[in-house]
């Protein structure tokens, strides 16, 4: 059966809880997105005098879906531009879910636009769809490039399907997504050259250019210029690599002016190690200790080629770090009591929160074996210092792993429903924990989790 080790269970003393203000940025972001979509529909409406016959209806529908697809492209790029205000308030994983949903909608709109326009034009010109397709692609301005961009969008959508993602590495998936930049560039021209809503409409053209140039500027600044500037200023280097548990190591780093990063407990950075076989990709790893003006630390489990290679890093290796990212911080807290629930290497952001969150904090750390409890010595020291409760739950050596249940969690934390819960662990554990917490009466708004799965 599961073994539970419990540290001191007194409430924390000497730490005052300050009620944070819930951010309205997620609401405002969604409001802005939908307001923009309404504006796009208003553009179509103002330029449409009448719709007559099947050809008119099909062409009109094609115009609407095309306008929305173009607008959605700008939204998708903005969501993944890593704008700090959005990232820290909405959360990286939530933005990624919005991006994934928006991507499916964008591809559907682009496909509908293509089919509806071809069909509508073929009815108007009394030709078959094959002949009309050839005419559009070969003889309309910028449509050959637009077609190439459309094909790139489709390819990206197929590769983003869950079945396809399982068969490729994070690095390959990440770089293939850069094709969307090229796809947007290729399709942008044909919108203004052929779109009935833009031809001769100077105000609409200026608005469209402003939208896309503004998004391009944000992408260029936050995804390229800022990481380059910080890499040159902070001069991060590996100072040591220490084993923490079987297959788990801590990478210690030093650098200059690291306080300027503004990294908060619970956040992560994207790390690019300038070593052989590692320099070409930047992977997300959470800080496993509070940031210090001269040093940082991450703790990584060997789960792939990149993470496995970190155990062999030599001291002095140069590092570029992008971030910090994520909203898995104290700002999400809404209640005086907090439960931190972690599994495996998911303990890394929770360890920093356990040290820094004020008020009454309880930690539950699940692992397969006692020796897999990484950072346990540090956690025990923090628990003793702040007089907080820690429950270590392991499956072996008994060899029996009970599922996460409402009753099991309530036995460890009797007033569970009165807690905020910060949750980090493998996907299966996270899903089971959310179900158990909801069944135990914890409101969904008090369950905070962030996933870096692609």
């Amino acid at each position: 059966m599961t073994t539970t080790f419990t540290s001191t269970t007194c409430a924390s003393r000497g730490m005052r809880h300050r009620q944070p203000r819930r951010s309205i940025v997620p609401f405002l972001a969604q409001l802005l997105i939908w307001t923009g979509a309404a504006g796009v529909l208003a553009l179509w409406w103002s330029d449409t005098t009448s719709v007559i016959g099947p050809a008119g209806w099909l062409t009109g529908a094609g115009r609407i879906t095309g306008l929305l697809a173009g607008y959605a492209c700008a939204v998708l790029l903005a969501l993944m531009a890593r704008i700090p205000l959005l990232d820290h308030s909405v959360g990286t994983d939530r933005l990624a879910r919005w991006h994934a949903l928006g991507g499916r909608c964008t591809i559907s709109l682009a496909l509908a636009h293509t089919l509806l326009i071809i069909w509508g034009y073929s009815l108007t010109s009394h030709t078959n769809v094959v002949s009309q397709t050839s005419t559009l692609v070969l003889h309309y301005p910028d449509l050959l490039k637009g077609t190439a961009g459309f094909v790139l969008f489709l390819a990206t959508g197929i590769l983003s399907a869950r079945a396809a993602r399982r068969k490729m590495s994070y690095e390959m998936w990440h770089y293939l997504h850069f094709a969307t930049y090229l796809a947007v560039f290729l399709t942008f021209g044909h919108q203004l050259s052929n779109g009935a809503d833009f031809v001769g409409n100077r105000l609409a053209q200026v608005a469209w250019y402003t939208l896309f140039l503004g998004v391009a500027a944000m992408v260029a600044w936050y995804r390229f210029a800022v990481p380059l500037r910080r890499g040159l200023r902070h001069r991060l280097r590996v100072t040591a690599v220490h084993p923490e548990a079987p297959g788990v190591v801590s990478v210690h780093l030093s650098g200059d002016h690291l306080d300027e990063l503004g990294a908060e407990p619970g956040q992560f950075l994207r790390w690019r190690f300038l070593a052989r076989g590692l320099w070409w990709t930047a992977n997300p790893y959470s800080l496993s200790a509070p940031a210090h003006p001269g040093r940082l630390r991450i703790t990584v489990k060997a789960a792939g080629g990149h993470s496995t290679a970190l155990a062999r890093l030599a001291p002095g290796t140069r590092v570029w770090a992008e971030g910090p990212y994520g909203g898995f911080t104290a700002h999400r807290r809404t209640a005086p009591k907090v439960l931190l629930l972690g599994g495996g290497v998911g303990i890394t952001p929770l360890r920093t929160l356990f040290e820094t969150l004020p008020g009454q904090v309880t930690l539950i750390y699940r692992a397969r074996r006692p020796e897999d409890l990484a950072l346990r010595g540090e956690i025990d020291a923090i628990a003793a210092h702040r007089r907080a409760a820690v429950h270590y739950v392991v499956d072996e050596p008994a060899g029996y792993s009970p599922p996460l249940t409402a009753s099991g969690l309530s036995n460890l934390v009797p007033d569970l429903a009165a807690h905020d819960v910060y949750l980090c662990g493998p996907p299966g554990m996270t899903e089971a924990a959310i179900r158990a917490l909801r069944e135990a009466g914890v409101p969904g708004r008090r369950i905070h989790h962030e996933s870096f799965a692609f």
Side-chain angles (χ1 to χ4, degrees):
M1 61 186 297
T2 297
T3 304
T4 303
F5 308 91
T6 307
S7 293
T8 312
T9 56
C10 299
S12 302
R13 295 187 298 183
M15 296 185 179
R16 295 183 179 179
H17 169 64
R18 183 176 63 181
Q19 188 79 359
R21 292 176 296 177
R22 293 190 65 84
S23 173
I24 63 169
V25 173
F27 168 76
L28 292 178
Q30 294 183 69
L31 179 62
L32 181 62
I33 291 171
W34 288 111
T35 300
V40 168
L41 292 176
L43 173 64
W44 171 84
W45 180 264
S46 65
D47 196 53
T48 302
T49 55
S50 62
V51 179
I52 302 173
W57 283 105
L58 289 170
T59 304
R63 286 170 52 201
I64 293 173
T65 52
L67 285 169
L68 289 174
Y71 170 72
C73 287
V75 173
L76 289 181
L77 295 181
L79 290 177
M80 288 292 102
R82 298 176 186 167
I83 302 167
L85 178 63
L86 275 181
D87 189 271
H88 298 169
S89 301
V90 179
T92 303
D93 63 335
R94 192 176 178 189
L95 285 174
R97 289 195 296 271
W98 289 4
H99 177 82
L101 176 61
R104 290 190 289 271
C105 293
T106 303
I107 292 173
S108 299
L109 287 168
L111 183 60
H113 164 69
T114 301
L115 297 177
L116 290 167
I117 285 294
I118 291 173
W119 192 3
Y121 278 32
S122 67
L123 289 179
T124 300
S125 60
H126 305 289
T127 59
N128 60 66
V129 293
V130 175
S131 175
Q132 187 61 54
T133 300
S134 175
T135 300
L136 287 170
V137 172
L138 299 177
H139 299 290
Y140 277 60
D142 294 317
L143 255 181
L144 188 58
K145 291 190 298 183
T147 301
F150 173 64
V151 171
L152 276 177
F153 270 125
L154 283 181
T156 304
I158 293 170
L159 292 172
S160 297
R162 186 169 299 177
R165 292 202 309 266
R166 293 194 186 109
K167 298 180 181 180
M168 70 177 71
S169 65
Y170 169 83
E171 296 82 5
M172 182 62 69
W173 174 86
H174 176 74
Y175 279 102
L176 284 174
H177 259 60
F178 279 113
T180 57
Y181 294 135
L182 178 59
V184 171
F185 173 77
L186 291 172
T187 56
F188 179 78
H190 102 276
Q191 298 175 58
L192 298 177
S193 300
N194 303 296
D197 302 284
F198 294 107
V199 175
N201 189 338
R202 179 63 63 181
L203 181 60
Q205 292 175 10
V206 170
W208 213 245
Y209 268 111
T210 301
L211 172 64
F212 276 86
L213 289 177
V215 170
M218 289 189 291
V219 170
W221 178 252
Y222 289 114
R223 297 206 62 164
F224 298 99
V226 170
L228 177 62
R229 179 175 61 87
R230 287 181 172 174
L232 295 173
R233 177 159 178 76
H234 297 308
R235 301 178 60 82
L236 275 168
R237 294 183 182 273
V238 174
T239 56
V241 179
H242 292 153
E244 301 287 359
V248 179
V249 297
S250 283
V251 181
H252 298 256
L253 308 107
S254 65
D256 302 330
H257 315 292
L258 298 182
D259 53 318
E260 295 177 5
L261 288 173
E264 298 183 45
Q267 290 189 310
F268 70 96
L269 294 91
R270 299 180 188 274
W271 304 89
R272 188 183 303 273
F273 296 90
L274 305 186
R276 187 174 183 178
L278 297 175
W279 63 268
W280 65 289
T281 184
N283 281 30
Y285 299 115
S286 296
L287 294 172
S288 60
H292 184 274
R295 61 180 182 270
L296 301 173
R297 188 186 73 179
I298 58 174
T299 301
V300 181
K301 180 179 181 179
H306 188 277
S307 54
T308 300
L310 298 190
R312 302 189 296 271
L313 285 172
T317 300
R318 286 293 303 273
V319 184
W320 291 67
E322 303 172 28
Y325 298 121
F328 193 66
T329 66
H331 298 294
R332 289 192 176 182
R333 180 177 182 170
T334 62
K337 299 179 181 179
V338 174
L339 168 64
L340 307 175
L341 177 54
V345 78
I347 193 62
T348 53
L350 300 183
R351 179 254 180 262
T352 62
L353 290 169
F354 189 46
E355 180 177 347
T356 58
L357 276 176
Q360 182 178 328
V361 181
T362 302
L363 172 65
I364 299 177
Y365 184 6
R366 298 177 60 92
R368 190 164 62 91
R369 303 169 301 175
E371 56 265 36
D372 293 327
L373 294 167
L375 307 175
R376 181 176 176 182
E378 296 181 16
I379 292 170
D380 286 339
I382 294 169
H385 174 72
R386 65 180 300 166
R387 298 197 173 191
V390 179
H391 303 282
Y392 297 108
V393 182
V394 297
D395 304 329
E396 297 179 3
Y400 172 63
S401 177
L404 281 168
T405 62
S407 59
L409 290 175
S410 296
N411 288 336
L412 295 176
V413 187
D415 54 346
L416 180 58
H419 285 66
D420 265 300
V421 181
Y422 286 75
L423 174 62
C424 190
M429 175 207 147
T430 300
E431 293 171 5
I434 291 174
R435 289 194 298 269
L437 290 167
R438 295 302 301 273
E439 185 180 341
V442 181
R445 67 180 183 278
R446 287 188 177 175
I447 302 174
H448 316 298
H449 63 97
E450 200 161 60
S451 170
F452 310 137
F454 72 97

